[in-house]
Amino acid sequence: MKLFCRNIVIKDGTAEMSGGWKLKDTEILDLYFQRDQRALAETQKAYGNYCYSIAWRILNDKEDAEECVNDTWLKAWNAIPPSRPMKLSLFLGTITRNLSLDRWKGKKAMKRGRGETQVALEELSECIPNNDCTEDAVEAAELERLLNSFLHMLPERDCNVFLRRYWYVEDYAAIAERYGLKLNTVKTSLFRTRNKLKDFLMKEGIVL
Amino acid sequence: MSDRGQGKENSTMRLMEALSAVDEELLERSEKEPEQKEPIPVKMPGRVYGFVLRNKGILAACLCVALLAAGFRVSRLRLDDEAAKTKSAREESPEMGTNLMGITAFPAEEAEATPNLQDTMAEKAEDFHEIRDDVANDVGAGNDVGAGNVEGSATDERKQQEDDSITESVPEDSLAMGDRALQLERYLDNYYLPGECDRDSYTVTDDIKGEIYAWSWVDGGYLVSLRLWELPDGEKTGNIHDAGLKLGIELFETESDWKEEFWEPEEDGRVWFGLVDRNGVVLEYCGYLDKEKTILLLTGWEQAE
């Protein structure tokens, strides 16, 4: 079986399947479960741009972003089955995001990273409580649970803005445009949410 | 990079990675475009409506004048009524003394026989304070209030004393800022929070913000706090809003449309932000007033520029 490297190769794909309309998530998942390679082509068609945009915003590099997207398809192919994600876009987006962050770390080890990710990380570092004690760092699973409960406590708009910034690594202007907000409102919302997160983590006694 | 810096970077990356596990429901919600509000159908205005639209400024001014006049009449009526009551009480009981405030002092035996009279007196005293404050307001607004002039001039004297004491507390090298402070103070006295509010003014020095002139009032149980300080030199030239975020406060320029933008109460309902004039002087507001009152309060500062 030949998997993707930039260009999608379909051995047995039909004309209707490779071009034309997009399949529904359930249909794409059925293809994965049948181990039909057309699943990959359909995934690329439906979610290629979405995953690419996530990777590009983190990596700020066309080539790296494309490679991350292709790695995403490979990971998805290996994960489904047994997994059957409820929402394919988010499942794929999460894989792309994790792969992109890993790649970004690798790049950063060689030279200082640039772009929106560096800025977003610098902002996010404001949320890290200053704690010099020698407690063990919180487990990843516990941190994820706490983050989720924190985000659920936020007002919808602030939560959305926070996720667009730190999950999707979108810039301020894009977030403002998406939600019809002023640029300053977005900045203020993020500033406040970061402060709240810091307070929350401190209150929970989190050591990162 | 130091171990500490590296450690913080790793921690931040852990946080960033932990975000990958955020609930799908939240991510899905963030992907939805906000619902567009339906546009309000535009109708051709009728003649009356059109007239109102074209002259809304003038009409609003007329309305304000009418309201002021009505308020003045009501306060005079209340004064007359109070005076008439006092006069009739004096005629009915000539042995009873009256104090300067026009509140009847009842003999001790009668007060004991009717304990409610003490309450009545307290209520009357409160009424009087209200009337006096109304009159003082009118004096501040430049109205002639006839009988209220005595009380009004007393208020003026008190204001003058307060102004003098504030002038003493403002250092000479910040005279311009002190002038602004005084203007604001007068504005506040004349148009807002007059009379018996529990008020305090003081000077503090902050590590980052430098010397700060501060006022606070207790208004209806809520603390309203105003602080005046200057932006650090480096911050005056850049983006004021971003500079504010660095200092930990939302800042708006007086020239900007701050009246539309500032309203974002904290979780406890408190609103906290600052207005910056073109000289880099910040008026920091913190309180629980509603939007209308906050604008009313701070427009005085904007106008004082």
Side-chain angles (χ1 to χ4, degrees):
Chain A
M1 181 182 74
K2 187 172 180 184
L3 279 174
F4 300 107
C5 184
R6 293 215 197 143
N7 298 314
I8 297 163
V9 177
I10 307 166
K11 280 185 177 171
D12 306 311
T14 61
E16 293 81 41
M17 293 292 271
S18 57
W21 61 85
K22 291 175 186 172
L23 295 185
K24 286 179 187 167
D25 278 5
T26 49
E27 293 169 317
I28 296 174
L29 286 171
D30 287 343
L31 290 175
Y32 275 102
F33 272 79
Q34 291 157 19
R35 307 309 288 160
D36 187 332
Q37 283 185 46
R38 284 175 299 173
L40 300 168
E42 290 307 318
T43 309
Q44 164 80 15
K45 200 196 299 175
Y47 298 112
N49 287 342
Y50 172 76
C51 290
Y52 179 82
S53 66
I54 292 173
W56 192 86
R57 279 195 293 262
I58 292 173
L59 293 162
N60 205 25
D61 183 286
K62 185 171 179 278
E63 209 164 299
D64 284 343
E66 283 175 349
E67 281 180 24
C68 271
V69 171
N70 286 324
D71 289 348
T72 302
W73 308 152
L74 178 60
K75 276 218 163 193
W77 180 260
N78 291 331
I80 311 170
S83 295
R84 192 174 178 96
M86 297 291 287
K87 182 94 178 161
L88 191 55
S89 63
L90 298 177
F91 177 79
L92 296 168
T94 306
I95 294 175
T96 308
R97 186 176 186 272
N98 287 336
L99 288 170
S100 304
L101 284 176
D102 285 343
R103 189 172 283 258
W104 188 85
K105 275 193 285 186
K107 276 179 76 176
K108 186 156 186 311
M110 289 185 283
K111 59 173 186 176
R112 186 140 184 96
R114 293 183 313 150
E116 208 61 36
T117 312
Q118 184 63 36
V119 183
L121 278 171
E122 277 165 15
E123 287 171 8
L124 209 55
S125 70
E126 292 170 20
C127 308
I128 308 295
N130 296 321
N131 206 331
D132 293 331
C133 62
T134 52
E135 291 173 48
D136 289 335
V138 65
E139 293 291 329
E142 176 65 0
L143 182 59
E144 286 163 10
R145 186 189 66 78
L146 286 170
L147 264 179
N148 267 315
S149 58
F150 170 75
L151 290 171
H152 276 287
M153 283 189 303
L154 285 179
E156 183 174 338
R157 193 196 74 182
D158 290 346
C159 178
N160 288 345
V161 169
F162 187 83
L163 287 175
R164 295 316 298 186
R165 178 67 181 150
Y166 301 115
W167 203 98
Y168 292 96
V169 198
E170 282 183 356
D171 60 22
Y172 294 141
I175 300 170
E177 193 184 343
R178 168 180 282 271
Y179 296 116
L181 300 172
K182 295 193 174 178
L183 201 63
N184 282 347
T185 311
V186 171
K187 287 181 189 176
T188 304
S189 164
L190 287 168
F191 171 74
R192 288 184 176 188
T193 308
R194 287 198 302 269
N195 283 344
K196 281 182 195 168
L197 178 57
K198 184 177 182 177
D199 290 346
F200 177 81
L201 293 175
M202 281 175 77
K203 206 169 138 192
E204 295 290 333
I206 294 301
V207 180
L208 285 166
Chain B
M1 188 184 291
S2 68
D3 287 350
R4 196 185 175 87
Q6 187 68 48
K8 188 150 192 175
E9 209 164 88
N10 290 341
S11 301
T12 312
M13 190 48 95
R14 285 192 69 199
L15 202 57
M16 192 76 163
E17 285 169 344
L19 269 175
S20 289
V22 77
D23 282 352
E24 286 191 356
E25 163 200 344
L26 295 176
L27 283 175
E28 211 173 337
R29 193 176 67 181
S30 81
E31 292 205 337
K32 281 181 195 156
E33 300 286 333
E35 285 175 21
Q36 296 291 327
K37 285 177 187 166
E38 281 187 20
I40 300 162
V42 181
K43 289 179 186 171
M44 285 294 286
R47 284 177 64 185
V48 177
Y49 186 54
F51 174 78
V52 172
L53 267 185
R54 278 193 302 277
N55 301 293
K56 59 188 173 195
I58 298 165
L59 290 172
C62 290
L63 187 65
C64 285
V65 170
L67 284 173
L68 275 174
F72 171 63
R73 275 188 72 87
V74 168
S75 63
R76 277 200 73 169
L77 282 173
R78 286 172 72 184
L79 265 181
D80 292 347
D81 189 33
E82 197 72 14
K85 274 185 197 167
T86 312
K87 196 179 167 189
S88 67
R90 214 180 314 163
E91 281 167 7
E92 282 169 19
S93 315
E95 71 279 9
M96 289 181 191
T98 54
N99 62 20
L100 284 173
M101 290 162 72
I103 298 169
T104 311
F106 290 89
E109 307 87 59
E110 201 171 335
E112 277 171 18
T114 53
N116 283 341
L117 282 175
Q118 297 289 349
D119 296 339
T120 314
M121 283 173 68
E123 280 167 20
K124 274 177 173 266
E126 270 181 32
D127 284 347
F128 174 79
H129 280 299
E130 277 178 28
I131 295 160
R132 193 185 60 178
D133 292 344
D134 287 345
V135 173
N137 262 348
D138 287 339
V139 170
N143 292 330
D144 179 13
V145 291
N149 267 339
V150 179
E151 283 293 337
S153 60
T155 313
D156 282 347
E157 276 174 27
R158 199 183 55 199
K159 250 188 260 174
Q160 188 58 45
Q161 282 168 3
E162 281 172 7
D163 287 352
D164 291 346
S165 69
I166 289 159
T167 315
E168 282 165 19
S169 71
V170 179
E172 282 182 13
D173 58 351
S174 299
L175 209 57
M177 203 158 137
D179 282 348
R180 292 285 300 277
L182 284 176
Q183 281 183 50
L184 181 69
E185 183 101 352
R186 287 201 190 96
Y187 167 82
L188 294 167
D189 273 341
N190 289 340
Y191 297 100
Y192 200 75
L193 304 175
E196 302 301 314
C197 286
D198 181 7
R199 189 171 99 179
D200 193 15
S201 62
Y202 49 94
T203 309
V204 288
T205 305
D206 182 278
D207 287 346
I208 301 168
K209 295 172 182 170
E211 191 153 52
I212 293 172
Y213 305 96
W215 296 266
S216 61
W217 292 260
V218 176
D219 180 37
Y222 290 128
L223 184 75
V224 175
S225 169
L226 288 176
R227 310 202 313 165
L228 204 64
W229 45 279
E230 278 186 276
L231 271 182
D233 283 338
E235 311 292 359
K236 284 178 192 171
T237 47
N239 182 321
I240 295 293
H241 191 268
D242 288 354
L245 294 187
K246 263 199 274 176
L247 293 166
I249 175 177
E250 251 181 282
L251 291 182
F252 301 99
E253 288 171 278
T254 48
E255 292 88 357
S256 71
D257 48 354
W258 63 271
K259 289 172 196 165
E260 300 301 319
E261 289 184 40
F262 81 89
W263 192 252
E264 191 74 47
E266 308 268 329
E267 273 173 358
D268 58 2
R270 182 188 63 165
V271 177
W272 179 42
F273 69 101
L275 281 185
V276 190
D277 75 1
R278 61 174 72 86
N279 303 314
V281 178
V282 182
L283 176 68
E284 184 179 333
Y285 164 85
C286 182
Y288 296 84
L289 297 179
D290 59 31
K291 185 171 184 173
E292 199 179 313
K293 279 188 175 175
T294 310
I295 289 176
L296 187 68
L297 174 65
L298 298 180
T299 306
W301 159 259
E302 201 179 31
Q303 287 165 353
E305 251 193 85

